[in-house]
Amino acid sequence: MCVQSLGPRARSFRSLRRSVGVQAALEHTTIELTGRDRPGLLSEVFAVLSDLKCNVMGAEVWTHNSRMASVVYITSEATGLPIDDPDTLAKIKRLLLYVLKGDRDKRSANTAVSVDSTHKERRLHQMMYADRDYDMNYAESGSASGRSKPLVTVESCTDKGYTVVNLRCPDRPKLLFDAVCTLTDMQYVVYHATVIAESPEAYQEYYIRHVDGNPISSEAERQRVINCLEAAIKRRTSEGISLELCCEDRVGLLSDVTRIFRENGLSVTRAEVTTRGSQAVNVFYVVDASGNPVKSETIESVRKEIGLTILRVKDDAYSKSPPQESGRFSLGNLFRSRSEKFLYNLGLIKSCS
């Protein structure tokens, strides 16, 4: 794998933080973006890539707490190969940084480059964690999300030398992945885990220690674990109406579609872009520019402009009802699910009596 760093040394001013990383892989060039979310941002990103003759082969976009993170896979429109020309890569970086900064921040931005082929969704968690999207002190005024808040407790198990983390929220796919990856990225080791999925809710309990073997020792650290797990769960909780785009793929397709979204006042909260052979199969979750549900007449107007058979409305895949917050809870020794064995086999948790 050939990795190319495109920028000056990084700075760490959270209020200014946005980054562009570019990594050349065997089949595509990977671009990583983090920055302040705003209506129309995704449209501007795809427009820049289209103008630079880049074909988007795939992408995933997450938003949370006024922040945005995205991993985008591109190739050259002319050759269909990864882009490795230093001048072209430098231009991509420069223009995308300009888009991420917008007209609200004229100061310099950060750059970041991934040096390995981390799983895409794992990488998005890492990017948003590094961007401190879990810190509500950095949320913009009026940007509070309507997503239901999961219930997370962190308590000491002094007789065994563990910290016990309990989590309860509406069940959904990949909830276990999100929680365990977050604890791992925060440098905790999971020794025991109990997972119960009783639709529509999920219950998870983790016995953890630091990698140095010590449990959590301060109130500030305890609260940070709570905030980070809440953020990890809400990042993937799709807010808004789900629209599925299926059609013949072409260069500039995403630029055109997201431009129509923007012109009709739609803001993308999450996106999954894939290419299957010659077909584009993309899913967008949209709200209006104020973060509220989109009116049905607006959705129908957008569908008519793009194509009724091309853009379809999908039903939500899981319940979004909020959990009953009834104070502390513990799963105790009810039972260990097969998930614990799965995590143990992956090396993400340890067996320790």
Side-chain angles (χ1 to χ4, degrees):
M1 180 176 295
C2 175
V3 179
Q4 299 198 20
S5 178
L6 296 180
R9 63 181 182 179
R11 297 180 182 176
S12 58
F13 296 97
R14 172 55 173 78
S15 62
L16 310 178
R17 182 174 291 120
R18 62 210 123 277
S19 69
V20 178
V22 178
Q23 173 182 321
L26 294 178
E27 298 179 352
H28 52 251
T29 299
T30 301
I31 303 175
E32 296 180 351
L33 309 172
T34 58
R36 187 198 305 269
D37 187 33
R38 68 176 188 275
L41 176 60
L42 193 60
S43 172
E44 295 175 31
V45 167
F46 287 142
V48 166
L49 293 174
S50 178
D51 288 343
L52 293 174
K53 307 301 181 183
C54 299
N55 189 26
V56 178
M57 305 300 296
E60 185 142 357
V61 181
W62 289 359
T63 63
H64 175 245
N65 194 13
S66 80
R67 308 304 297 174
M68 182 279 295
S70 177
V71 176
V72 185
Y73 303 131
I74 64 172
T75 59
S76 167
E77 176 185 343
T79 66
L81 299 174
I83 299 171
D84 56 9
D85 175 64
D87 292 338
T88 302
L89 293 176
K91 187 175 183 180
I92 291 173
K93 172 229 165 181
R94 183 176 70 255
L95 294 179
L96 288 178
L97 283 176
Y98 180 80
V99 166
L100 289 171
K101 286 189 292 185
D103 58 1
R104 304 179 60 180
D105 185 353
K106 298 299 183 181
R107 302 176 67 177
S108 62
N110 294 332
T111 61
V113 177
S114 174
V115 297
D116 56 25
S117 54
T118 305
H119 183 278
K120 177 177 60 178
E121 294 170 357
R122 176 77 179 277
R123 184 64 188 137
L124 284 166
H125 275 304
Q126 293 172 342
M127 292 163 63
M128 299 206 85
Y129 172 68
D131 201 33
R132 295 174 63 86
D133 75 308
Y134 56 84
D135 194 336
M136 289 304 297
N137 291 325
Y138 293 115
E140 295 180 46
S141 176
S143 65
S145 171
R147 301 165 183 166
S148 59
K149 185 176 181 180
L151 177 59
V152 181
T153 66
V154 178
E155 302 190 18
S156 297
C157 180
T158 53
D159 57 330
K160 296 289 187 180
Y162 293 114
T163 296
V164 183
V165 177
N166 282 285
L167 182 156
R168 183 172 67 184
C169 67
D171 192 24
R172 61 164 173 78
K174 300 189 178 181
L175 179 63
L176 181 64
F177 174 91
D178 296 340
V180 174
C181 284
T182 298
L183 291 171
T184 302
D185 289 336
M186 294 181 73
Q187 302 299 304
Y188 295 108
V189 178
V190 177
Y191 288 85
H192 302 287
T194 303
V195 180
I196 303 173
E198 296 178 339
S199 183
E201 285 195 324
Y203 306 82
Q204 298 179 7
E205 181 179 68
Y206 301 97
Y207 285 75
I208 67 172
R209 292 175 181 153
H210 282 287
V211 291
D212 62 7
N214 294 318
I216 292 175
S217 58
S218 70
E219 175 60 25
E221 184 182 1
R222 186 188 74 85
Q223 188 59 50
R224 185 165 173 264
V225 171
I226 292 174
N227 292 344
C228 288
L229 283 172
E230 289 178 351
I233 294 166
K234 291 189 286 185
R235 287 170 196 151
R236 200 197 291 270
T237 303
S238 305
E239 186 175 3
I241 295 177
S242 174
L243 302 176
E244 183 177 59
L245 177 77
C246 295
C247 63
E248 190 76 13
D249 191 30
R250 61 174 174 81
V251 174
L253 173 65
L254 291 169
S255 176
D256 293 340
V257 170
T258 53
R259 173 183 54 79
I260 293 171
F261 288 170
R262 185 188 72 238
E263 291 172 349
N264 284 272
L266 303 186
S267 182
V268 178
T269 62
R270 185 179 165 212
E272 302 168 18
V273 176
T274 57
T275 303
R276 300 173 185 170
S278 63
Q279 292 291 306
V281 182
N282 308 325
V283 178
F284 303 93
Y285 296 85
V286 298
V287 294
D288 70 13
S290 300
N292 299 317
V294 183
K295 295 180 179 179
S296 57
E297 53 265 34
T298 302
I299 293 295
E300 289 308 304
S301 175
V302 170
R303 291 186 62 220
K304 288 178 182 178
E305 188 168 355
I306 295 176
L308 293 175
T309 60
I310 294 175
L311 187 67
R312 300 177 180 176
V313 179
K314 294 185 63 178
D315 293 330
D316 288 342
Y318 54 87
S319 172
K320 294 183 180 178
S321 22
Q324 299 295 319
E325 297 192 13
S326 55
R328 298 177 177 179
F329 64 94
S330 175
L331 298 177
N333 294 316
L334 291 177
F335 64 88
R336 294 182 180 180
S337 75
R338 287 176 295 178
S339 299
E340 180 173 359
K341 182 178 180 181
F342 173 71
L343 294 174
Y344 174 76
N345 290 337
L346 287 177
L348 292 176
I349 68 172
K350 292 185 176 181
S351 176
C352 182
S353 300

